Amino acid sequence: MAGRVLVNVRDSAAASGKALQFAIDQAAGRKLGLHIVFIIDEAVASSRKPELLKAARDRGTSVLTEAATTVQASAPDVDVEATIKEGDPTHVLVDLSEDYDMVVVGSNWEGHDHGGRFAVASLRVAAASDSPVAVIPDIDVTERRGVVVGLDGSDNSAHALEFAASEAVRINEPLIAVHAWTLPVVPGTEFIDSASFYEDLSADSAETITQAVAPIRAMYPKLAITPVSFDGDPTLALSTEAEHGKVVVVGSHGRGTVARLMLGSVSHGLLAHLVAPTVIVR
C-alpha cells in the first residue's frame, strides 16, 4: 500500500520499542500511514499444534494492541493498520516492501560485534527489500546530533543524500556529508610526489562533496551542512561519524537477484556493526 510505513513488532520490547517509535516519527513527520505487522514464524504456523498457533496469535494480538495504543498516544493523526502475518519474517517483509515507502525493523544488537538472530534477519531484509529499510538498534541517541550520509558520486548515493537532507530538515538537525577516499595502490605511483598526489585527492574529495550538496543547499538554504572528507575506508568513515549522529543514511548498490543475497560492502559493514539507526536507501 503506497503512502505508508511498514514496521515489524515482536516480543523483544527494547528493539521493537525503538523501531516502533522510529516508524511513528517517520509516518507522522512525512504524513504517511503506518502498518504494524506481527509475524508468526512459519515453524509455529506449520507445527500442526492448534494450541501453539492460538498462543502465538493471542500474543500477536496483545503486542499489536499495545503498539497501536502507543501510536495513538504519540501521533493521534497517523492512520494505523495492525495485522498478523504467518511465514518466514524475512520473506514476509520483503514481499510486502514494494508497496511501502519504508520498512522499519528492529535489531537485537547489544553493543558487541555479533548480533543475534534478529540482527541477521535485518541484514536480509535490507538486502532484498524493494523500498528503503531502516534498521533500528537498541541504542539511545537522545544526546547525539546530526544526520550522517555517505557520498560516493553514484545515483544511489544521490538518493541517500536527498533522503538524509529531508530527514535533517524534518528533525531540525545538521547534515553531515561524508566522502571517503584512499591513495590507490598502483604500480609506478611510488615515483609520484606523494604529498602533491595526496593533496590532489583530498581536494577532489572536497569538490565531490561540494558538487553533491549544491542542489541540497539550494533546496534547503537554512540547513546546516558539514562536509567530512575522510582519508580511509568508507565504512570506517561513516561509522566514526555515526557514533555521534542520530541516524546514518547510505545508498545500497545491490541489484536484481544478487540484491537478495548481499548488500553493497559499505551498507553491509554498517549493518553488521550498528552504531546508530541506519537507513538503507535505493
Side-chain angles (χ1 to χ4, degrees):
M1 184 181 298
R4 288 193 167 229
V5 175
L6 176 68
V7 59
N8 176 216
V9 295
R10 55 179 188 268
D11 288 345
S12 176
S16 290
K18 284 187 169 57
L20 177 61
Q21 190 57 56
F22 187 92
I24 293 171
D25 292 342
Q26 289 294 316
R30 298 177 184 275
K31 301 188 183 307
L32 301 171
L34 180 62
H35 183 186
I36 310 169
V37 60
F38 179 93
I39 303 172
I40 298 175
D41 193 275
E42 60 186 350
V44 174
S46 62
S47 66
R48 297 183 181 179
K49 295 182 178 180
E51 68 279 7
L52 183 60
L53 182 56
K54 181 180 183 303
R57 284 188 168 278
D58 289 346
R59 179 57 181 163
T61 299
S62 175
V63 169
L64 290 176
T65 298
E66 182 180 356
T69 299
T70 299
V71 177
Q72 289 300 318
S74 178
D77 293 334
V78 170
D79 179 33
V80 184
E81 177 186 4
T83 57
I84 295 176
K85 299 285 187 179
E86 297 177 6
D88 177 86
T90 299
H91 294 162
V92 170
L93 293 171
V94 169
D95 288 345
L96 290 172
S97 66
E98 63 179 340
D99 295 324
Y100 291 84
D101 292 73
M102 176 182 287
V103 176
V104 181
V105 295
S107 173
N108 60 342
W109 182 89
E110 298 173 347
H112 45 68
D113 289 336
H114 301 288
R117 173 187 177 192
F118 296 117
V120 174
S122 64
L123 275 168
R124 292 172 177 168
V125 173
S129 173
D130 289 313
S131 65
V133 174
V135 181
I136 314 300
D138 184 20
I139 297 175
D140 184 4
V141 297
T142 305
E143 301 301 321
R144 299 187 185 186
R145 293 298 311 278
V147 175
V148 180
V149 60
L151 304 178
D152 63 10
S154 68
D155 289 342
N156 283 334
S157 131
H159 295 155
L161 176 59
E162 291 171 4
F163 177 89
S166 68
E167 182 69 2
V169 170
R170 187 184 72 79
I171 63 176
N172 193 28
E173 289 287 336
L175 180 68
I176 316 299
V178 181
H179 180 264
W181 59 277
T182 57
L183 285 170
V185 180
V186 179
T189 55
E190 64 270 21
F191 302 109
I192 298 175
D193 181 351
S194 59
S196 176
F197 194 28
Y198 183 96
E199 291 175 359
D200 288 344
L201 290 174
S202 179
D204 287 345
S205 176
E207 181 60 22
T208 295
I209 299 175
T210 298
Q211 291 183 4
V213 303
I216 300 301
R217 291 189 186 280
M219 186 179 301
Y220 305 112
K222 295 183 179 180
L223 175 62
I225 302 176
T226 300
V228 176
S229 178
F230 189 95
D231 174 14
D233 177 75
T235 303
L236 176 60
L238 286 169
S239 293
T240 300
E241 294 299 324
E243 287 179 350
H244 308 287
K246 287 189 175 294
V247 62
V248 57
V249 183
V250 65
S252 169
H253 291 274
R255 281 291 180 268
T257 302
V258 175
R260 296 187 176 272
L261 301 176
M262 61 185 294
L263 285 164
S265 59
V266 175
S267 303
H268 187 280
L270 289 173
L271 293 182
H273 183 62
L274 288 163
V275 297
T278 302
V279 181
I280 308 299
V281 176
R282 285 177 169 78

